[in-house]
Amino acid sequence: MTTTAIYPGTFDPITNGHTDLIQRASKLFDKVIVAVAEHSGKQPAFSLQERIDLANTVLTNVDKIEVCGFDTLLVDFARQKNAQIILRGLRAVSDFEYEFQLTGMNRKMAPEIETLFLMPAEQYTYISSSLVKELARLGGDVSSFVHEKVFSALKDKLKNKIK
Ligand code: COA
């Protein structure tokens, strides 16, 4: 049986923390689908297509990966893709409560799909896409948190406010 894991998120933009998690997952599953959410209750800075393109660029060298956008319920998309596993990252205790709710809701709607959690490397446990954008907007150096292509996309998006 092929084991397919789906890793959903907003990825606005994809960071080195996400990539670290995806690299770990690619060693564990036959296929990892990076599912970029159109609707996640956030107002993304990058369009869905931009977020998909950036993820594809960053992940070119990672095996067994597919990047897809979705605008449905996550569990419906997981079923459509024949994924048995939803993968989420846990960085700190503060992630737990939201993840607990998400997992509970998803399990209620799709009991056959398991949610599994991985932890990124510790140097990425404090990164988030919002913090990266805030830093970039205020002229901070985010080059160690994101891929160089994401760095230049952020520069373009934030009108060259990055040093
Ligand atoms: N490294 C760095 N940052 C990480 C990370 C990691 N390993 N893991 C999570 N993050 C950050 C993200 O960058 C994000 O930061 P932000 O809030 O600043 O944008 C934050 O942690 C959590 O976001 P993420 O993991 O991307 O998830 P999300 O909360 O943006 O996505 C969905 C939530 C997409 C999974 C959820 O909204 C969903 O399933 N939507 C589809 C519709 C649906 O089914 N809704 C019902 C759900 S019960």
Side-chain angles (χ1 to χ4, degrees):
M1 188 177 96
T2 306
T3 318
T4 302
I6 197 158
Y7 179 45
T10 311
F11 302 107
D12 184 46
I14 188 165
T15 67
N16 291 345
H18 294 125
T19 308
D20 176 81
L21 211 89
I22 294 162
Q23 282 166 338
R24 286 168 200 283
S26 75
K27 294 182 198 141
L28 298 172
F29 306 107
D30 297 312
K31 186 172 177 188
V32 179
I33 298 170
V34 177
V36 184
E38 165 112 69
H39 305 295
S40 60
K42 295 176 181 173
Q43 297 231 306
F46 291 95
S47 71
L48 179 63
Q49 194 55 52
E50 287 170 328
R51 288 178 280 138
I52 293 172
D53 291 346
L54 285 174
N56 268 319
T57 305
V58 168
L59 300 170
T60 26
N61 295 325
V62 189
D63 290 337
K64 303 182 284 183
I65 298 293
E66 183 186 334
V67 180
C68 299
F70 74 106
D71 62 0
T72 59
L73 273 179
L74 173 60
V75 288
D76 289 343
F77 188 61
R79 280 176 173 150
Q80 188 191 318
K81 289 287 185 181
N82 294 317
Q84 304 91 338
I85 293 158
I86 293 172
L87 188 68
R88 294 286 290 166
L90 274 184
R91 292 161 300 169
V93 177
S94 50
D95 282 343
F96 179 79
E97 196 158 334
Y98 176 57
E99 296 302 330
F100 180 77
Q101 291 178 347
L102 210 63
T103 301
M105 289 295 235
N106 286 331
R107 182 180 281 165
K108 179 84 184 147
M109 292 185 282
E112 78 282 10
I113 301 175
E114 275 312 329
T115 300
L116 296 182
F117 297 93
L118 286 178
M119 283 190 183
E122 60 192 47
Q123 69 266 31
Y124 301 129
T125 48
Y126 53 87
I127 305 183
S128 76
S129 299
S130 302
L131 275 182
V132 164
K133 280 179 288 187
E134 184 177 332
L135 239 73
R137 202 171 287 126
L138 297 171
D141 181 4
V142 295
S143 56
S144 57
F145 302 137
V146 293
H147 186 280
E148 59 186 38
K149 290 282 168 50
V150 175
F151 184 65
S152 58
L154 272 167
K155 251 191 214 170
D156 289 347
K157 187 62 71 183
L158 304 172
K159 307 217 174 9
N160 300 317
K161 282 186 184 164
I162 302 177
K163 281 178 200 159

